[in-house]
Amino acid sequence: MEKRQSVPLIVASAIIMQQIDSTALATALPSMAESFGVPALSLHSAITIYLLSLGVFLPISGWVADRFGARIVFSVAIGIFTAASLLCAASTSLTGLILARILQGFGGALMLPVGRLILVRSVSPAELVSAMILMGLPAVIGPAVGPLLGGFITTVASWRWIFWINLPVGVLGIVLTTLFIEPVPPSDPKPFDWLGFVLTGLGIGALIFSLDSMGRGGGEETLWLAAVGAAALALYVLHARRAPHPILDLRLFRLPTFRSSMLGGSLFRIGFGALPFMLPLLMQEVFGYTPLESGGITFVSAIGAFGMRTVARRILHRFGFRRVLIWNALIASASMALCASFTSGAAPYVMMLVIFTGGVFRALQFTSINTLAFADASAPEMSHATALSQMAQRISQSVGVAFAATLLHLFNGGADHPTGHAFTLAFLVVALVSSLSFLSFLALPGTAGDVLAGRAREPA
């Protein structure tokens, strides 16, 4: 097999392990809660902590790859993710699972950026587009297969097999990487911003933990965590203004397109993080569905997203980024609000239609937001724009899960098992928060992203 095919497929095989693992877990939460003897709602931490770990450690991936060599780091990342998966499978308590998920998030944070770096350095520019399409397969296959696979495994065996099956995939990924990917020698990295890393990690971690604590009915420690997080992030803003090589370059926020993508995109992704968490819980805890039945209904969201990928560019070319982002934010949020109408007596095909439609419009929004982030960034700023964008994506999803758990806890009066009424209110609030993202897109100029959408020529 030629390098333009073998390299992206090897990288994709490792990344798909991460994608399936993440999407399959949400379907298995009620079964995991029963195994640990805790309320299902408290298992949101298993998702929140993983996404948080991804977001916090993503910025160090490029520096580590430059310092030690991309092939070595990629193999180590697969090994860390696989070993952490085995620890997840062997967990006997929620605390043990959360610690293993932190380690798993660290491995996952290294895999995707370093895998992309290997691809860029291993394939010629003329073959890069085809190679990137192959490497992008996990983004399509993982979300589609994950809920069904998670539901099937949990129904016929045990949720632990969701993690056990990562062992052969991880071992195969390490072997293939060693045999078929050429070494990428270390380069001379810039000095690492350790103080910036500590401040951002502490700030983001404390804020997410405070929200996560609220979802479990936390008390005074929630306010202390929030205060520590806010203080750490404020100190980082001061630090970033003076540091020669800050870990996150906040100067990118001077660009209207990047600023709108980050602020509006983060608000919108709160809904994206909340839905995959709430829908399986609603169907299993309230409607009495099996994990397989639940996964069979929710997986259609990924099918809708896949269909939109083929026409998103044409839509952006026809209407432009600003109009698409404003109106689609409202339409996609309305599809989230429709989930509030789900009842135990609702026909499955009706729920599937709503979830499918939501997947279509959310995919258009994510494609537009992710592309717009790079519309005006210069070539030297691209790496910082990528790191900041990827970090914001994972953290906003984590906030979405924690926010949904908090809403369910509040609307249910603190009871362990949320009612259908609590889910109804939570869906409506989450949809409202996501819809507010349109305010950020209103500030965009009408010509924003026109070059990327093919509506204007690239300046000479």
Side-chain angles (χ1 to χ4, degrees):
M1 188 180 295
E2 296 181 13
K3 185 182 293 186
R4 66 182 175 86
Q5 296 174 320
S6 61
V7 173
L9 286 177
I10 292 170
V11 173
S13 69
I15 297 173
I16 199 170
M17 172 175 64
Q18 176 189 6
Q19 290 277 346
I20 292 178
D21 180 283
S22 300
T23 53
L25 188 64
T27 310
L29 290 185
S31 297
M32 296 171 69
E34 184 179 352
S35 176
F36 292 144
V38 298
L41 199 54
S42 65
L43 261 293
H44 75 274
S45 299
I47 299 176
T48 303
I49 297 303
Y50 174 76
L51 292 170
L52 174 62
S53 181
L54 270 178
V56 168
F57 290 113
L58 269 170
I60 74 170
S61 59
W63 184 87
V64 172
D66 287 340
R67 176 69 177 80
F68 299 102
R71 189 182 77 165
I72 293 175
V73 172
F74 188 65
S75 297
V76 170
I78 298 174
I80 292 173
F81 188 89
T82 305
S85 297
L86 301 185
L87 292 176
C88 289
S91 299
T92 57
S93 67
L94 178 57
T95 301
L97 178 67
I98 288 174
L99 293 175
R101 291 285 282 174
I102 292 174
L103 181 62
Q104 199 179 33
F106 173 62
L110 296 179
M111 269 201 285
L112 179 56
V114 177
R116 184 177 288 132
L117 178 64
I118 287 174
L119 189 65
V120 170
R121 293 184 179 177
S122 302
V123 178
S124 67
E127 298 171 332
L128 187 57
V129 173
S130 298
M132 289 294 281
I133 291 173
L134 283 176
M135 198 190 79
L137 286 176
V140 177
I141 297 174
V145 173
L148 278 174
L149 182 63
F152 176 77
I153 289 175
T154 306
T155 300
V156 303
S158 166
W159 61 266
R160 298 181 188 275
W161 280 97
I162 294 174
F163 298 107
W164 285 122
I165 60 176
N166 288 337
L167 176 59
V169 179
V171 171
L172 181 63
I174 294 173
V175 171
L176 294 177
T177 298
T178 304
L179 293 178
F180 296 107
I181 293 181
E182 296 178 2
V184 180
S187 60
D188 186 19
K190 296 177 181 178
F192 187 71
D193 181 17
W194 287 106
L195 178 58
F197 174 67
V198 171
L199 289 175
T200 55
L202 176 62
I204 294 167
L207 287 175
I208 299 296
F209 272 118
S210 68
L211 192 55
D212 184 79
S213 177
M214 287 178 63
R216 298 194 303 269
E220 186 179 343
E221 73 277 3
T222 300
L223 298 177
W224 281 107
L225 282 171
V228 169
L233 291 180
L235 288 174
Y236 177 76
V237 172
L238 297 176
H239 164 76
R241 292 177 177 176
R242 299 190 301 267
H245 305 291
I247 192 170
L248 298 174
D249 190 355
L250 302 183
R251 290 173 297 180
L252 285 163
F253 280 92
R254 76 186 189 280
L255 304 173
T257 48
F258 185 84
R259 184 170 62 246
S260 182
S261 171
M262 291 290 289
L263 300 180
S266 295
L267 267 180
F268 186 80
R269 281 193 181 88
I270 288 176
F272 178 68
L275 279 186
F277 167 70
M278 289 198 295
L279 284 172
L281 278 182
L282 172 67
M283 294 178 184
Q284 295 180 49
E285 292 286 289
V286 180
F287 297 170
Y289 288 7
T290 66
L292 183 58
E293 290 170 336
S294 169
I297 292 175
T298 58
F299 92 100
V300 296
S301 174
I303 296 177
F306 176 72
M308 175 51 72
R309 287 174 180 268
T310 61
V311 297
R313 180 172 174 81
R314 279 179 282 176
I315 293 174
L316 289 169
H317 177 75
R318 173 68 179 83
F319 298 103
F321 274 90
R322 185 177 183 272
R323 276 197 289 175
V324 168
L325 285 168
I326 290 172
W327 290 103
N328 195 62
L330 298 174
I331 295 170
S333 298
S335 72
M336 297 182 198
L338 284 176
C339 295
S341 66
F342 292 172
T343 64
S344 58
Y349 72 85
V350 173
M351 292 189 287
M352 293 176 76
L353 178 62
V354 171
I355 295 171
F356 173 86
T357 304
V360 170
F361 290 109
R362 284 194 299 276
L364 175 59
Q365 196 73 356
F366 292 143
T367 300
S368 305
I369 290 169
N370 294 343
T371 307
L372 186 66
F374 305 99
D376 298 318
S378 63
E381 292 174 324
M382 283 296 182
S383 61
H384 278 285
T386 300
L388 200 49
S389 177
Q390 289 283 325
M391 185 177 182
Q393 289 179 33
R394 300 304 186 273
I395 291 170
S396 56
Q397 286 179 246
S398 178
V399 170
V401 176
F403 183 55
T406 300
L407 290 175
L408 290 172
H409 180 81
L410 292 175
F411 292 143
N412 203 48
D416 289 340
H417 301 285
T419 62
H421 178 67
F423 277 100
T424 297
L425 295 176
F427 278 122
L428 292 175
V429 173
V430 165
L432 176 62
V433 171
S434 290
S435 70
L436 293 176
S437 63
F438 91 97
L439 295 173
S440 177
F441 305 130
L442 280 174
L444 286 169
T447 57
D450 276 1
V451 171
L452 298 179
R455 292 162 61 87
R457 291 185 179 181
E458 188 170 356

